[in-house]
Amino acid sequence: MTITKEQVLQALGHVEEPDLKKDLVTLNMIQDIHIEGNRVSFSVILTTPACPLKAMIENACRNAILHFISKDAEININMTSRVTTQKNTGVPGVKNIIAVASGKGGVGKSTVSVNLALGLAKTGAKVGLIDADIYGPSIPIMFGLEGERPKASEVDGKTRIQPIEKYGIKLLSIGFFTDPNQPVPWRGPMVSTAVKQLFNDADWGELDYLVVDLPPGTGDIHITVTQTFPVTGAVIVTTPQNVALADAKKGIGMFMMNAINVPILGIIENMAYFTPAELPENKYYIFGQGGGKKLASQLDVPFLAEIPLVKSISDSGDAGKPIVLDDGSIMANAFIEVAQKVAQQVAICNANAINNTTLVNN
Ligand SMILES: Nc1ncnc2c1ncn2[C@@H]1O[C@H](COP(=O)(O)OP(=O)(O)OP(=O)(O)O)[C@@H](O)[C@H]1O
Ligand SMILES: [Mg+2]
């Protein structure tokens, strides 16, 4: 029996992308089909290298060929990805902008931003990170880059700031341009201009994801970023206390306002419980339990993760080497999972926004 390309497409037409609720052929995710005797090979183009469903989709493709065509087929699947985008993000070459916000200060936005950005990069994505917290930039310390000054260079006749590259991502912080020992006495318009420059005047190159660490609250910087750039979605960080949850609700409310209209990718509950290093299976819900999850279901937004309060997260931030880089550790794996879930939500948002049968794979 000779296997044909049409048979392969027909078989794979039975495999549904679980998040996007359409089959892989309709979504244009199958490419490079080659057939030689009973050997079938093809590529599956996922919407993100951080796809948490990769193994499941590969398995489903294999089973579809065996079931619908021949149980003797030898199958070789190349699982690859092209990160989707839905619109011009206003920053050339950048496919998706992910804002990390909270209502209350000190809940772990910067910790989540940094570990999320590095987690996405670890899965193979091209990632940038902007620290837009004018009043309390913390990314220079978390990357061990205090006192660094990004260089400027000429690109296409324009002077551009070169983001600093560390641990495989590109980053810029307002803290690279201010004196860490002096407060920044800037008025609203100056703040807006400075933040816009981090996006517009830097040579970001090609990025799949640009993560933006916002200051606490719902102020000038949030309005500037969301109104100047089409942000793909926002990740909201909260802690379990009622005061933090109430502020998180306000933060989410801001993104959902008509004038802003940024999709919520999900809620992360940080410092959800305390775990002593020597007894990792013991969980102490010292600030209350389940508040983040409840808020997510109330507002009908995804709940992405509970991250425990562990000393190594704080120590690694202070030491300039974020915890997600600690390969194979429980907390590194937890942040990789956060990155996968965020990437998954970005892909879903993109697919919903395009509202088309094929994704923009460019
Ligand atoms: N899960 C955690 N376990 C232990 N320490 C944590 C955890 N998350 C954050 N921290 C620590 O708590 C402090 C505040 O975190 P972080 O700076 O990320 O918060 P933030 O929301 O960005 O604060 P700000 O509102 O000031 O920008 C830091 O010292 C950080 O290392
Ligand atoms: Mg911060």
Side-chain angles (χ1 to χ4, degrees), residues 71-292:
K71 61 178 179 2
D72 299 321
E74 269 181 50
I75 307 158
N76 186 2
I77 308 176
N78 170 33
M79 298 299 286
T80 177
S81 67
R82 227 174 285 135
V83 173
T84 52
T85 180
Q86 51 181 284
K87 50 197 167 189
N88 184 349
T89 54
V91 191
V94 175
K95 287 185 172 176
N96 295 289
I97 299 178
I98 302 171
V100 179
S102 71
K104 200 173 165 322
V107 297
K109 283 176 301 301
S110 300
T111 303
V112 166
S113 303
V114 162
N115 286 292
L116 166 63
L118 293 171
L120 287 167
K122 280 195 122 192
T123 67
K126 286 178 268 178
V127 182
L129 174 63
I130 287 184
D131 177 3
D133 193 346
I134 297 268
Y135 301 106
S138 39
I139 281 177
I141 294 182
M142 298 176 90
F143 277 79
L145 291 169
E146 291 159 282
E148 287 282 327
R149 288 279 175 273
K151 295 188 176 60
S153 64
E154 287 278 309
V155 180
D156 299 331
K158 279 197 201 123
T159 306
R160 298 236 163 238
I161 307 166
Q162 287 303 323
I164 293 187
E165 292 198 44
K166 191 151 183 190
Y167 304 137
I169 68 169
K170 295 183 179 179
L171 56 129
L172 274 183
S173 168
I174 200 78
F176 292 143
F177 305 97
T178 54
D179 180 344
N181 301 312
Q182 296 289 328
V184 181
W186 290 352
R187 288 183 188 278
M190 292 170 75
V191 170
S192 287
T193 307
V195 169
K196 280 190 218 162
Q197 282 177 338
L198 294 179
F199 288 82
N200 286 333
D201 296 354
D203 180 20
W204 288 107
E206 300 277 316
L207 294 181
D208 294 319
Y209 305 102
L210 177 57
V211 177
V212 186
D213 180 17
L214 290 168
T218 52
D220 276 347
I221 296 179
H222 300 74
I223 294 169
T224 299
V225 170
T226 50
Q227 301 214 319
T228 316
F229 308 102
V231 173
T232 313
V235 172
I236 307 295
V237 184
T238 183
T239 52
Q241 298 93 327
N242 283 334
V243 276
L245 290 163
D247 286 357
K249 200 169 175 176
K250 277 187 225 156
I252 292 172
M254 182 203 72
F255 287 109
M256 286 180 162
M257 277 165 57
N258 276 343
I260 297 201
N261 197 19
V262 169
I264 303 296
L265 299 171
I267 295 177
I268 293 178
E269 188 174 291
N270 188 27
M271 311 192 206
Y273 51 88
F274 169 69
T275 294
E278 59 285 4
L279 287 169
E281 58 290 345
N282 286 20
K283 297 180 177 180
Y284 301 96
Y285 288 85
I286 45 186
F287 302 132
Q289 190 176 356

